[in-house]
Amino acid sequence: MQKIKTIAFDADDTLWVNEPLFRINEEKFDSLLKEYVSHSDITEKLYQTELKNLKHFGYGIKGFVISMIETAIELTNGEIKGCDLKKIIDWGKKQIDHPVNLLDGVEEVLRILKNNYQLMVITKGDLFDQESKIARSGLADYFDIVEIVSEKEESVYSLIIEKHKLKVDEFLMVGNSLKSDILPLVNIGAFAVHIPFHTTWVHEKVESKDLIGKHYVELADIRELLTLLK
Ligand SMILES: [Mg+2]
């Protein structure tokens, strides 16, 4: 840990609240569709559509909205009313415009770390939405580098490290997703700190067998980073 020079943070559910906003809209979607069909697995159908659509639209709210519309059309055999589709679109707009709520301790930790480390954000999703959240979060000035990517995998991290002329063994990534923020970094020889968030999207979950032999640190709270790096 004494070698660390650059600390990169995931954004959604590491710096600010994100996933619960998707859960709220999934619940609204479930209630809306129950007015049309008796399925009990509406959320599962929506998830399958989202997965299928990742390769077309990538991660983020826009893809989520299109997936809700597609699922609604399919499950109702095209019977869904235009006014209900409009509701789905409005939920998405509201989600995009939702205030950015920072997680506890984030700003305090960034302010302290900024004195001794190069700080970075690495986040995936809609470019527009992520840029807007970084701007509205009030945290932009703490970061030397912001990278918005479409997938968080080993090759993407290696490219970022290379592009900014960093060394992999001086690089630490902090995030809430084992799949996106931890395993790819551990696999390329960087350091990783996992700070779990109470809500995780199914797609980001990792089976425990995939974690065997992987070395990373798990913290309950971002403030514990300060102690870890001392
Ligand atoms: Mg995250």
Side-chain angles (χ1 to χ4, degrees):
M1 286 285 169
Q2 281 157 356
K3 294 179 79 177
I4 304 294
K5 291 200 171 123
T6 303
I7 305 175
F9 291 85
D10 163 56
D12 291 335
D13 302 317
T14 297
L15 302 177
W16 51 67
V17 177
N18 174 61
E19 200 53 34
L21 304 177
F22 283 89
R23 292 295 92 78
I24 290 167
N25 278 340
E26 275 176 15
E27 279 163 31
K28 285 192 200 158
F29 182 73
D30 186 77
S31 306
L32 177 71
L33 271 263
K34 280 193 175 129
E35 293 172 19
Y36 289 87
V37 290
S38 54
H39 282 275
S40 56
D41 56 352
I42 291 166
T43 307
E44 175 57 26
K45 288 263 191 292
L46 171 60
Y47 175 59
Q48 293 306 330
T49 312
E50 284 183 84
L51 280 192
K52 196 182 69 185
N53 282 341
L54 278 179
K55 65 173 182 291
H56 302 292
F57 309 120
Y59 294 93
I61 301 170
K62 279 187 276 183
F64 175 58
V65 169
I66 294 171
S67 295
M68 283 195 283
I69 293 172
E70 186 177 339
T71 309
I73 293 169
E74 279 176 9
L75 286 181
T76 65
N77 291 317
E79 296 292 316
I80 181 120
K81 292 188 218 124
C83 59
D84 284 333
L85 292 178
K86 175 76 167 59
K87 273 186 198 162
I88 295 173
I89 295 167
D90 287 341
W91 297 338
K93 287 184 188 168
K94 219 173 143 193
Q95 188 178 341
I96 287 177
D97 293 336
H98 195 280
V100 178
N101 293 323
L102 298 186
L103 295 179
D104 275 353
V106 163
E107 183 151 22
E108 165 197 343
V109 168
L110 293 176
R111 197 186 314 121
I112 295 169
L113 293 178
K114 174 100 185 111
N115 298 322
N116 296 307
Y117 300 92
Q118 180 180 47
L119 302 184
M120 191 187 268
V121 174
I122 306 180
T123 180
K124 72 177 179 205
D126 287 334
L127 182 63
F128 175 80
D129 181 38
Q130 294 294 346
E131 279 177 343
S132 152
K133 281 193 285 192
I134 290 166
R136 288 182 292 135
S137 71
L139 300 177
D141 288 345
Y142 291 110
F143 299 108
D144 304 287
I145 300 166
V146 174
E147 289 281 355
I148 300 166
V149 298
S150 42
E151 190 61 87
K152 283 174 148 181
E153 52 197 19
E154 290 167 34
S155 59
V156 173
Y157 283 112
S158 294
L159 274 176
I160 290 173
I161 289 171
E162 201 182 299
K163 182 169 103 181
H164 298 288
K165 301 188 168 49
L166 309 170
K167 289 189 184 140
V168 74
D169 60 351
E170 296 174 354
F171 190 88
L172 167 67
M173 178 79 191
V174 179
N176 71 298
S177 165
L178 287 167
K179 180 168 182 261
S180 299
D181 308 319
I182 307 302
L183 287 181
L185 281 299
V186 172
N187 290 340
I188 61 169
F191 292 91
V193 168
H194 182 220
I195 306 178
F197 187 66
H198 54 74
T199 309
T200 309
W201 189 30
V202 198
H203 184 63
E204 295 291 329
K205 293 203 170 136
V206 164
E207 287 189 46
S208 47
K209 69 170 172 47
D210 295 326
L211 296 171
I212 296 168
K214 306 289 180 187
H215 297 287
Y216 62 93
V217 176
E218 187 158 315
L219 301 178
D221 187 298
I222 197 164
R223 283 170 282 222
E224 293 172 15
L225 250 189
L226 301 174
T227 322
L228 181 77
L229 288 160
K230 253 183 196 157

